[in-house]
Amino acid sequence: MDAGKLVPDEIVNGIVDEALASPMAAKGFLFDGFPRTVPQATALDEMLQRRGKRIDHVILLEVPIEVLVDRLSGRQTCPKCQTPYGKDTPPKRPGICDKDGEKLVVRPDDMPDRVRQRMTEYQSKTALLTDYYKARGVVRSVSGVGTVEEVEKRIVQALS
């Protein structure tokens, strides 16, 4: 992750399979950032099929790459409580966590060059999932540009 690369499929799939087996997943679940590759998606299909479940919806958040680079490279995180801060959600005191007073840090994978590398990785692997899930008729495209409240409203509308 520190090098800007994705965690290997075998590791991620094992974590997801364990999570799906937990009682918390019995009534439903929401994935954020998974699956990232077609092999992960096919593994997920198998995991769900064993449990008599399926994917109902896939939200495709559409955001221009430079907007993502700007958002992520401007992000700071509290090393203690993991609270994220950014341009739209700055701390009350610059560089200091509102919750516990810790000095905020920029994660190595949020540096602009690493963000661009992740976007390149996304384009070569993750973007292929769009067609995979479009063929199933479950993709809901939503603009991810705007405030959290605006994007949330669009997601709720897309799921209605």
Side-chain angles (χ1 to χ4, degrees):
M1 283 175 53
D2 286 347
K5 298 187 179 194
L6 299 175
V7 175
D9 288 351
E10 317 75 68
I11 294 171
V12 175
N13 290 344
I15 292 168
V16 170
D17 201 23
E18 282 183 36
L20 289 172
S22 79
M24 289 178 54
K27 290 187 178 183
F29 43 86
L30 172 72
F31 290 117
D32 178 11
F34 179 85
R36 290 181 187 260
T37 64
V38 172
Q40 284 181 355
T42 57
L44 176 61
D45 287 343
E46 292 168 11
M47 290 177 228
L48 294 175
Q49 188 174 26
R50 286 195 319 262
R51 293 170 172 87
K53 297 183 182 291
R54 64 182 169 77
I55 295 293
D56 295 320
H57 304 286
V58 172
I59 300 296
L60 175 63
L61 289 174
E62 297 179 329
V63 183
I65 288 177
E66 285 311 309
V67 172
L68 290 172
V69 171
D70 186 52
R71 275 185 194 169
L72 294 174
S73 62
R75 181 168 66 175
Q76 295 179 305
T77 306
C78 175
K80 186 174 180 181
C81 70
Q82 301 301 308
T83 299
Y85 295 92
K87 290 180 180 181
D88 295 335
T89 55
K92 293 174 185 160
R93 295 183 320 183
I96 305 296
C97 179
D98 294 344
K99 294 182 180 179
D100 54 34
E102 289 287 321
K103 186 177 190 306
L104 300 177
V105 297
V106 176
R107 294 179 0 191
D109 61 330
D110 284 344
M111 300 303 287
D113 60 325
R114 299 271 174 85
V115 173
R116 283 190 181 84
Q117 183 177 355
R118 286 186 358 234
M119 293 302 106
T120 299
E121 186 109 353
Y122 172 86
Q123 291 298 329
S124 70
K125 294 180 181 175
T126 308
L128 301 174
L129 287 171
T130 303
D131 289 338
Y132 182 86
Y133 284 113
K134 276 186 178 177
R136 290 167 167 73
V138 295
V139 174
R140 309 289 182 262
S141 295
V142 174
S143 171
V145 178
T147 66
V148 171
E149 294 78 17
E150 291 168 340
V151 175
E152 178 185 20
K153 183 177 179 182
R154 287 186 212 121
I155 291 171
V156 170
Q157 288 173 341
L159 294 174
S160 299

